[in-house]
Amino acid sequence: MNIHDLHSAATAAETLCRDLGLEILEQKEIPYGRQFKVRHGGAGAIFNVYYGKKGLNLVVQGADNEAKRIVEGELFTRMRGGAPVKAEVKPRKTSDRPVQEIEAAYDEPWMGTDESGKGDYFGPLVTAGVIVDPDAVPLLRSLGVDDSKKITDAKIPGMAAEIRKICYGRYKVLSLKPEKYNELYEKFTSQGKKLNSLLAWAHASVIENLLETQPVNLVIADKFADESLIENRLKKLGRTVKLIQVPKAEQNLAVAAASILARDALLRWHSEAKAQHGISLPKGASVQVIQAGKTFIKNNGRNHLRHVAKLHFKTTEDVLLCTD
């Protein structure tokens, strides 16, 4: 049976299901392919038909039963299934500069990590990780999961709540509040390390915690420095996974979901800080941020600045200028 495109592959799968006595309960679109939910007698199975760079891929899910054995055996054999593509990175040009585009096949769970608050003077550094399995992909797509920077702050809390439901038990959020962040930054710099080492520590900690929950073979993260920083940290922890770090990693669904969870935690901190201190502590490092810092010191004193701000920012010099 020669299959040249997704439509003919899906049609062939439908025909083979009927020929092999499999009842199709449901079929739906997934990225680059189609998913079938089938039943044989009282046994059920789910299989994906999709295209990767190496051609047609077929992946079956579910417990070992008669339906799964028929799919794995006769159906896949007759459709001439090949080895699935786990993940690939390919360059392209956008706006006259090369960027990296991640394409991941959704045949097995994988993890994405991202952080929020790195460039904000006020607030925590939040790092989040999410494991996405094949069944969650269409749900996250329908939710509109994307890079959190493309989503308004008003929509973030609701989307984050849905992601936590869809990926229940398969996400971690590490929020380094300013006081703890400053403590760790000072510790790392005293050892001759830079900010990127702290970022790598945060990502590796989230990855390690999630791997204890559910092992995966692939982790995708945004490239913020030499990727060996995270790799070396994971090796020290005794973890071996395929780690892909590229710019604009939020193009990947799991990374995008992580970015939303991280952003949600950052927004909640800002809301709580405003309620606690009676003033807004803006994001970023603008003139408004400097003025807010001066107001905060006037109300609370210099010693309390480390509880709300990342002190190593140059902004601190401006905030402390002409304050008692």
Side-chain angles (χ1 to χ4, degrees):
M1 184 181 297
N2 294 318
I3 301 173
H4 301 292
D5 55 40
L6 178 60
H7 177 73
S8 59
T11 301
E14 291 178 4
T15 301
L16 285 171
C17 283
R18 289 193 294 269
D19 292 347
L20 297 171
L22 291 168
E23 178 187 0
I24 300 176
L25 301 177
E26 180 185 358
Q27 56 177 302
K28 56 186 178 182
E29 299 301 316
I30 60 173
Y32 312 113
R34 188 174 298 181
Q35 183 178 90
F36 290 81
K37 184 176 182 180
V38 298
R39 181 171 61 191
H40 185 272
I46 296 174
F47 68 92
N48 297 337
V49 178
Y50 66 91
Y51 271 89
K53 193 172 184 179
K54 295 182 180 179
L56 180 69
N57 294 310
L58 303 160
V59 179
V60 64
Q61 307 168 45
D64 184 28
N65 57 41
E66 183 62 20
K68 184 177 181 181
R69 286 192 288 272
I70 292 173
V71 172
E72 286 182 316
E74 186 68 12
L75 191 147
F76 279 11
T77 298
R78 289 169 64 177
M79 289 189 72
R80 297 180 179 178
V85 179
K86 304 299 183 189
E88 58 188 275
V89 181
K90 67 178 183 180
R92 71 177 182 181
K93 292 230 173 183
T94 301
S95 302
D96 296 323
R97 65 186 184 87
V99 298
Q100 295 292 320
E101 178 181 52
I102 297 173
E103 292 185 351
Y106 303 105
D107 57 312
E108 65 176 41
W110 81 101
M111 186 193 307
T113 66
D114 201 12
E115 79 282 327
S116 188
K118 180 174 63 176
D120 297 316
Y121 180 62
F122 290 120
L125 171 70
V126 185
T127 307
V130 177
I131 292 175
V132 174
D133 61 36
D135 289 341
V137 169
L139 296 174
L140 294 173
R141 289 292 189 198
S142 64
L143 184 62
V145 169
D146 201 345
D147 181 0
S148 63
K149 291 187 287 293
K150 298 178 181 179
I151 302 170
T152 64
D153 287 352
K155 292 183 178 180
I156 290 291
M159 294 188 71
E162 291 302 314
I163 291 170
R164 288 191 287 267
K165 291 178 185 177
I166 294 169
C167 301
Y168 181 77
R170 298 188 298 277
Y171 66 86
K172 294 289 182 183
V173 179
L174 173 62
S175 182
L176 295 178
K177 295 184 178 179
E179 186 173 19
K180 183 63 176 180
Y181 175 93
N182 289 320
E183 177 187 328
L184 287 172
Y185 183 85
E186 291 160 6
K187 177 182 177 181
F188 274 82
T189 53
S190 69
Q191 298 171 352
K193 299 176 181 178
K194 298 182 178 180
L195 175 61
N196 283 331
S197 294
L198 174 55
L199 293 172
W201 174 87
H203 278 262
S205 297
V206 167
I207 294 169
E208 168 70 6
N209 286 333
L210 267 179
L211 289 176
E212 291 177 358
T213 301
Q214 180 179 345
V216 297
N217 296 316
L218 174 66
V219 177
I220 301 175
D222 197 46
K223 187 178 178 67
F224 55 80
D226 183 352
E227 62 190 51
S228 65
L229 290 173
I230 296 181
E231 289 179 342
N232 291 339
R233 176 70 186 177
L234 289 174
K235 286 178 182 177
K236 288 181 179 179
L237 295 171
R239 295 293 188 177
T240 302
V241 295
K242 180 176 178 60
L243 175 66
I244 296 178
Q245 285 185 261
V246 292
K248 300 185 180 298
E250 294 89 351
Q251 294 174 82
N252 181 269
L253 190 62
V255 180
S259 76
I260 291 172
L261 294 188
R263 185 71 173 178
D264 178 58
L266 180 70
L267 293 175
R268 279 189 282 110
W269 183 93
H270 276 275
S271 178
E272 292 166 3
K274 182 178 181 179
Q276 179 182 354
H277 301 293
I279 62 171
S280 177
L281 300 175
K283 293 181 284 293
S286 63
V287 173
Q288 290 76 16
V289 169
I290 295 171
Q291 185 56 51
K294 289 181 180 293
T295 302
F296 179 87
I297 289 176
K298 181 180 179 181
N299 295 341
N300 300 277
R302 289 191 180 198
N303 292 338
H304 289 277
L305 187 61
R306 68 182 295 107
H307 296 295
V308 297
K310 301 178 182 73
L311 297 182
H312 68 88
F313 276 42
K314 188 179 182 301
T315 307
T316 299
E317 297 178 12
D318 298 320
V319 169
L320 295 178
L321 188 64
C322 299
T323 59
D324 295 327

